[in-house]
Amino acid sequence: MPVITEIEDLKRIYKRRVPKMFYDYAESGSWTEQTFRENSSDFDRIRLRQRVAVDMEGRSTSSQMVGRDVKMPVALAPVGLTGMQHADGEILAAKAAEKFGVPFTLSTMSICSIEDVAENTSAPFWFQLYVMRDEEFIANLINRAHQANCDALVLTLDLQILGQRHKDIKNGLSAPPKLTPYVIADLATKWRWGIQMLQTHRRTFRNIVGHAKDVDDVSSLHSWTAQQFDPRLNWDTVKNYRKQWDRKLILKGILDADDAKKALDVGADAIVVSNHGGRQLDGALSSIQVLPQIMDAVGDKIEVHLDSGIRSGQDVLKALAMGAAGTYIGRAFVYGLGAMGQKGVEEALRVIHSELDTTMALCGEKDVKNLGRHNLLVPKDFEGDWA
Ligand code: GLV
């Protein structure tokens, strides 16, 4: 096995092994990709405060996310089409998360279904919901997640219509891929991916194919979103979901303090400060840049999580020190999955954990729960002076 010392190592192998269409799907932001880039580069603007001669023995990264014990406050984010990055990808990622002791979140737009993941794991996982026009289908989906023992529903609020990602259109993104001459030429160098894919029967959107009606092209994310996703979703709808779901409710896609207050009003258990990995509103601020104003608005009243831009344990530490109670990795685990399946996701978690643990120690902290602004050097203009 190659020596993996950083997430970038997994990304390099991932790029070699996975068809370009799916690499591009994960590695894109919408339009100019400004927000996608700044999600990561804004983490680099924050510096860490080194402290010395502090007893570093007996460190702990353990914490809780929505009441669940976690080995570190880093959940696996919901990522569409994960089962196209590697055969049975969602099952493998969920197994890696379970083994490591962090939550796995299954996307509505996954390849493996809720039932597939439930049958192959024992830890409860979280289910991410996109609201669709077909109310009966959604009620059924929520019921399936409940039956499968999902202990949190992660309701995504920032994708009722799809932000354009140029490469997906140019590549003709679909699951399974259509075998055009270009795709066949690409697959010729990705034979390992192809062989593994031929060995599974899970190659389409199994949460929805056979359950939802009126979609012309069942293999296309674009068709699903255009025809099925409900653009009418509003805070009253969110309130209804709060009533229907009796376990933890996490609202994902909050990027504004006013919306954070609304999430509080509907009785959510947590919010995820997120711009969908820079895949939706290009030109929006990075998640880490808006975190301080959201903490000021609701930080003492609701659990605040953050995703978008996290590629290292240092990034996790910065988000936690800025006030987040939990974080999510999406691309960072997908690189590992595409590179080497379950083992690769385990490696991604190991790398991030080790970076978090060592960096925490060098900041003079022994417990992840004690991280705070005192560990950071944040530029005075970090939040920006926007009119
Ligand atoms: C969601 O499923 C996405 O593609 O960002």
Side-chain angles (χ1 to χ4, degrees):
M1 189 177 114
V3 180
I4 305 297
T5 62
E6 54 173 339
I7 294 297
E8 210 44 41
D9 292 333
L10 293 168
K11 185 173 173 185
R12 272 190 292 273
I13 304 172
Y14 165 58
K15 188 170 186 185
R16 282 204 306 272
R17 293 195 173 164
V18 173
K20 181 173 182 306
M21 174 188 296
F22 301 117
Y23 173 85
D24 283 348
Y25 170 69
E27 209 39 33
S28 292
S30 52
W31 290 287
T32 70
E33 303 192 329
Q34 177 186 31
T35 301
F36 169 54
R37 285 189 300 277
E38 289 180 359
N39 275 337
S40 296
S41 61
D42 279 350
F43 272 106
D44 298 338
R45 295 176 61 209
I46 303 171
R47 303 300 172 88
L48 301 172
R49 198 165 151 224
Q50 172 175 297
R51 301 304 305 274
V52 296
V54 178
D55 177 358
M56 292 175 185
E57 204 164 70
R59 294 187 302 282
S60 167
T61 59
S62 298
S63 189
Q64 288 205 323
M65 288 174 80
V66 287
R68 167 140 162 207
D69 289 332
V70 291
K71 165 118 187 261
M72 62 177 170
V74 181
L76 298 194
V79 180
L81 283 80
T82 294
M84 283 290 124
Q85 304 290 357
H86 189 288
D88 297 335
E90 289 90 357
I91 295 174
L92 300 184
K95 284 182 168 197
E98 175 170 353
K99 194 164 161 196
F100 198 86
V102 293
F104 169 75
T105 319
L106 183 72
S107 167
T108 295
M109 300 308 292
S110 57
I111 302 299
C112 302
S113 65
I114 298 173
E115 293 77 13
D116 290 332
V117 175
E119 277 160 23
N120 287 283
T121 52
S122 26
F125 56 99
W126 296 350
F127 181 65
Q128 174 271 337
L129 182 70
Y130 280 128
V131 176
M132 302 200 193
R133 289 180 184 273
D134 182 343
E135 285 174 22
E136 195 186 321
F137 166 67
I138 289 296
N140 185 27
L141 198 58
I142 295 177
N143 192 31
R144 287 166 59 197
H146 206 273
Q147 293 286 318
N149 203 22
C150 293
D151 54 352
L153 189 69
V154 180
L155 180 58
T156 298
L157 300 178
D158 62 359
L159 196 152
Q160 290 318 109
I161 52 173
L162 201 63
Q164 179 167 306
R165 301 105 191 224
H166 303 311
K167 289 182 210 139
D168 292 350
I169 298 173
K170 290 179 173 125
N171 288 334
L173 175 74
S174 69
K178 296 194 173 61
L179 294 178
T180 61
Y182 184 84
V183 169
I184 292 169
D186 183 39
L187 284 180
T189 63
K190 316 279 168 50
W191 52 269
R192 184 198 308 250
W193 178 93
I195 289 170
Q196 285 164 342
M197 224 21 112
L198 286 172
Q199 286 165 0
T200 180
H201 58 284
R202 302 182 183 100
R203 292 196 287 261
T204 188
F205 297 104
R206 286 168 60 85
N207 278 332
I208 35 196
V209 169
H211 297 276
K213 305 181 276 272
D214 303 331
V215 177
D216 302 333
D217 181 358
V218 292
S219 65
S220 157
L221 182 70
H222 288 97
S223 304
W224 282 118
T225 44
Q227 296 175 23
Q228 288 277 329
F229 284 30
D230 192 349
R232 299 164 303 178
L233 170 65
N234 58 58
W235 288 104
D236 288 333
T237 335
V238 177
K239 256 186 221 153
N240 282 337
Y241 286 111
R242 171 68 292 186
K243 281 191 207 130
Q244 281 174 46
W245 181 259
D246 59 357
R247 299 179 190 158
K248 301 291 181 187
L249 178 70
I250 303 174
L251 297 182
K252 174 173 177 286
I254 304 289
L255 211 62
D256 189 279
D258 288 342
D259 287 338
K261 288 181 196 150
K262 292 196 167 120
L264 196 65
D265 291 344
V266 298
D269 296 287
I271 57 172
V272 189
V273 176
S274 167
N275 52 39
H276 215 104
R279 301 162 70 79
Q280 284 296 99
L281 180 62
D282 187 37
L285 296 180
S286 67
S287 292
I288 192 67
Q289 195 175 22
V290 299
L291 181 61
Q293 49 161 293
I294 293 190
M295 290 310 301
D296 285 348
V298 298
D300 54 346
K301 301 182 192 77
I302 192 169
E303 195 170 314
V304 178
H305 300 170
L306 177 136
D307 76 16
S308 304
I310 293 185
R311 306 284 187 275
S312 69
Q314 286 83 353
D315 294 342
V316 171
L317 186 147
K318 289 172 185 174
L320 298 176
M322 293 278 257
T327 62
Y328 297 73
I329 50 168
R331 293 182 179 94
F333 93 77
V334 166
Y335 302 158
L337 179 72
M340 45 184 96
Q342 179 178 338
K343 181 77 195 138
V345 182
E346 288 169 16
E347 282 293 284
L349 288 167
R350 179 191 60 76
V351 165
I352 287 191
H353 180 259
S354 141
E355 290 168 342
L356 173 62
D357 176 55
T358 306
T359 306
M360 181 174 84
L362 295 174
C363 286
E365 298 289 347
K366 289 210 291 196
D367 190 332
V368 85
K369 293 193 278 307
N370 294 338
L371 293 168
R373 282 296 274 259
H374 61 279
N375 300 116
L376 302 179
L377 296 165
V378 182
K380 289 212 168 70
D381 63 349
F382 182 70
E383 290 176 55
D385 188 11
W386 310 99

